[in-house]
Amino acid sequence: DSGVTQTPKHLITATGQRVTLRCSPRSGDLSVYWYQQSLDQGLQFLIHYYNGEERAKGNILERFSAQQFPDLHSELNLSSLELGDSALYFCASSVGQAPNTEAFFGQGTRLTVV
Amino acid sequence: KNEVEQSPQNLTAQEGEFITINCSYSVGISALHWLQQHPGGGIVSLFMLSSGKKKHGRLIATINIQEKHSSLHITASHPRDSAVYICAVNSGGGADGLTFGKGTHLIIQP
């Protein structure tokens, strides 16, 4: 158990809908990273939050947004969903944002858009 | 061209064999990570390296910064080692997330 909790584990929704994925980092970790894993693109970095502030963006679509709350949990909001958004979404947490800190991954949320 | 290349893509071996998975990267990095992903989907961090060599149980990871190359070795492989092994790098500052290889799908047959 990595100590990172993601909910829900599975989500099935229709095209055009909006969903929210939730991530609770390990106790004491200030950084939360969101990643998407799809069959065609593999694992890709979406966005990074540190202590409530956005720190970096990767290949995140404009239809997607995220935030980190004062209790450090984070939410990834996906809107106007398309079939191609079906993927595994992981969050990872680390103590800081320096490069040499180990990242701990959650079990992922499997999103299926039908 | 992917910034992180892994080889082989697929590897099937017999129980007890010595396994090597290779990772090459084309950018300057601050750290390299080896991750394991089981069929259930969860990702486990195995090693984080910025130089030299690390060992944990039957797993050994090495990195050569000059050659931009890392290897993950598994000694006395076991069917429970069957998983996808993913190499990932921190290529930017600390704010950027990891850049991943496509993974090596390892099957250890009893």
Side-chain angles (χ1 to χ4, degrees):
Chain A
D1 183 5
S2 67
V4 179
T5 303
Q6 286 188 249
T7 57
K9 286 187 169 46
H10 301 276
L11 196 49
I12 301 174
T13 191
T15 54
Q17 295 299 304
R18 182 180 190 273
V19 297
T20 297
L21 312 184
R22 181 187 171 103
C23 172
S24 295
R26 290 188 324 152
S27 177
D29 284 358
L30 299 178
S31 272
V32 172
Y33 298 81
W34 284 97
Y35 297 97
Q36 179 195 58
Q37 185 177 37
S38 62
L39 283 175
D40 53 346
Q41 297 289 331
L43 272 159
Q44 292 190 101
F45 166 59
L46 295 179
I47 196 164
H48 170 210
Y49 274 82
Y50 175 80
N51 203 21
E53 293 189 7
E54 180 186 304
R55 297 305 307 222
K57 275 186 173 179
N59 297 323
I60 188 166
L61 300 172
E62 285 193 10
R63 300 184 283 109
F64 296 0
S65 64
Q67 52 185 327
Q68 186 178 30
F69 294 86
D71 67 352
L72 300 177
H73 91 271
S74 178
E75 292 180 357
L76 180 67
N77 300 296
L78 315 176
S79 62
S80 301
L81 285 167
E82 302 175 0
L83 296 177
D85 298 326
S86 296
L88 260 172
Y89 291 85
F90 288 98
C91 75
S93 74
S94 63
V95 170
Q97 56 179 345
N100 294 342
T101 55
E102 187 175 2
F104 295 86
F105 286 79
Q107 288 297 303
T109 293
R110 185 175 295 277
L111 173 66
T112 303
V113 182
V114 296
Chain B
K1 186 180 185 302
N2 201 7
E3 292 179 351
V4 181
E5 297 279 353
Q6 284 186 240
S7 63
Q9 285 188 331
N10 298 284
L11 178 57
T12 300
Q14 296 296 311
E15 183 174 356
E17 287 189 35
F18 181 82
I19 303 299
T20 296
I21 299 171
N22 296 302
C23 175
S24 297
Y25 51 91
S26 58
V27 295
I29 67 168
S30 47
L32 182 142
H33 300 249
W34 281 103
L35 311 170
Q36 180 191 57
Q37 186 172 27
H38 277 285
I43 294 175
V44 174
S45 177
L46 298 176
F47 295 103
M48 184 184 68
L49 297 160
S50 53
S51 65
K53 177 179 174 177
K54 286 190 176 181
K55 184 175 188 291
H56 185 251
R58 296 179 295 105
L59 302 179
I60 303 165
T62 64
I63 188 169
N64 185 317
I65 297 294
Q66 287 73 30
E67 294 187 3
K68 293 186 167 61
H69 180 269
S70 176
S71 293
L72 175 69
H73 305 286
I74 305 175
T75 62
S77 59
H78 190 276
R80 65 175 174 268
D81 297 326
S82 299
V84 177
Y85 291 84
I86 303 168
C87 172
V89 300
N90 287 108
S91 58
D96 290 343
L98 296 172
T99 300
F100 299 86
K102 293 192 183 299
T104 294
H105 188 194
L106 174 66
I107 297 173
I108 304 297
Q109 295 178 334

